[in-house]
């Protein structure tokens, strides 16, 4: 994993913006006495930020056939997983104790079908004081969990794996993209769902 600066980064914070670097022994999320704290981002300037994450659901061939054919007994897996992911992005701060409550101003969840897997791609956007990486990862994770819940009756060995950040833009550090990360694009097998 490496950072790759790009020249086309969206608006970022001014160079002179104050940073909250105080904490116990240099740990940003610990106060001077060692107790947990949420980093104070009040003085930061809101900027346009985005993040894209993925998760993978490993499925048996018969489950993939039921998914792409729309015959899963519990109903429309794609719609349920998509809404679950979007809802999760908006509730990230309720799940992660030190995450900031920020405005999620845009969220998408898309799918690509492979021979033995469904790739879930979640993108979140904000114009706020801190990034939306955890919101994107939470969206991808919960969309995957919703998919597992919908198909587990067909195959108990269904597996959620590979949750990772693919890209983030904006903020002080600008743009970062995971080396070798494939660009998100809808699979023909699930084009109507992606």
């Amino acid at each position: 994993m490496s950072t790759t600066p790009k020249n086309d980064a969206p608006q970022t914070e001014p160079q002179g913006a104050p940073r909250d670097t105080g904490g116990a022994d240099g740990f940003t999320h610990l106060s001077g006495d060692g107790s947990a704290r949420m980093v104070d981002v009040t003085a930061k300037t809101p900027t346009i930020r985005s993040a894209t994450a993925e998760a993978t659901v490993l499925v048996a061939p018969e489950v993939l056939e039921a998914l792409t054919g729309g015959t899963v007994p519990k109903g429309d897996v794609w719609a349920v997983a998509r809404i679950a992911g979007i809802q999760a992005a908006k509730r990230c701060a309720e799940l992660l104790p030190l995450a900031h409550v920020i405005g999620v101003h845009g969220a998408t969840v898309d799918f690509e079908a492979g021979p033995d897997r469904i790739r879930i791609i979640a993108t979140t956007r904000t114009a706020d004081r801190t990034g939306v990486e955890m919101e994107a990862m939470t969206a991808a994770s919960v969309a995957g969990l919703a998919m597992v819940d919908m198909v587990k009756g067909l195959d108990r060995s269904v597996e959620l794996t590979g949750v990772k950040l693919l890209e983030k833009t904006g903020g002080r550090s600008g743009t970062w993209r995971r080396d070798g990360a494939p660009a998100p694009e809808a699979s023909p097998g699930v084009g109507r769902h992606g």
Side-chain angles (χ1 to χ4, degrees):
M1 182 178 356
S2 69
T3 57
T4 308
K6 295 186 180 178
N7 294 330
D8 61 345
Q11 174 190 2
T12 59
E13 295 173 32
Q15 290 297 327
R19 297 181 73 185
D20 181 0
T21 56
D25 297 324
F27 292 106
T28 59
H29 287 66
L30 295 179
S31 65
D33 67 359
S35 59
R37 69 178 186 140
M38 179 187 289
V39 173
D40 187 351
V41 296
T42 308
K44 293 176 76 173
T45 302
T47 62
I48 296 171
R49 303 160 185 264
S50 70
T52 299
E54 75 173 18
T56 300
V57 178
L58 302 179
V59 295
E62 59 271 19
V63 175
L64 183 63
E65 184 177 340
L67 280 166
T68 56
T71 59
V72 175
K74 287 190 176 181
D76 189 343
V77 176
W78 310 106
V80 170
R82 177 174 284 120
I83 294 301
I86 292 169
Q87 181 178 2
K90 296 190 295 182
R91 302 187 75 163
C92 179
E94 295 177 34
L95 301 170
L96 303 178
L98 300 181
H100 291 89
V101 177
I102 62 172
V104 176
H105 300 121
T108 61
V109 176
D110 295 304
F111 310 97
E112 294 176 4
D116 62 349
R117 66 195 58 220
I118 302 295
R119 180 176 178 235
I120 301 166
I121 307 102
T123 299
T124 50
R125 292 180 53 81
T126 190
D128 217 316
R129 291 175 169 82
T130 190
V132 284
E133 295 92 341
M134 296 313 300
E135 285 75 7
M137 293 178 74
T138 301
S141 301
V142 173
L145 288 172
M147 185 169 281
V148 168
D149 183 49
M150 294 288 283
V151 303
K152 70 182 188 296
L154 299 175
D155 178 14
R156 295 286 179 187
S157 69
V158 63
E159 179 181 341
L160 174 64
T161 187
V163 179
K164 58 190 169 195
L165 183 68
L166 299 178
E167 183 178 58
K168 61 80 63 182
T169 68
R172 181 178 296 274
S173 61
T175 296
W176 175 89
R177 183 168 176 80
R178 181 176 293 276
D179 286 344
E185 56 183 81
S187 160
V190 294
R192 68 182 186 276
H193 307 294

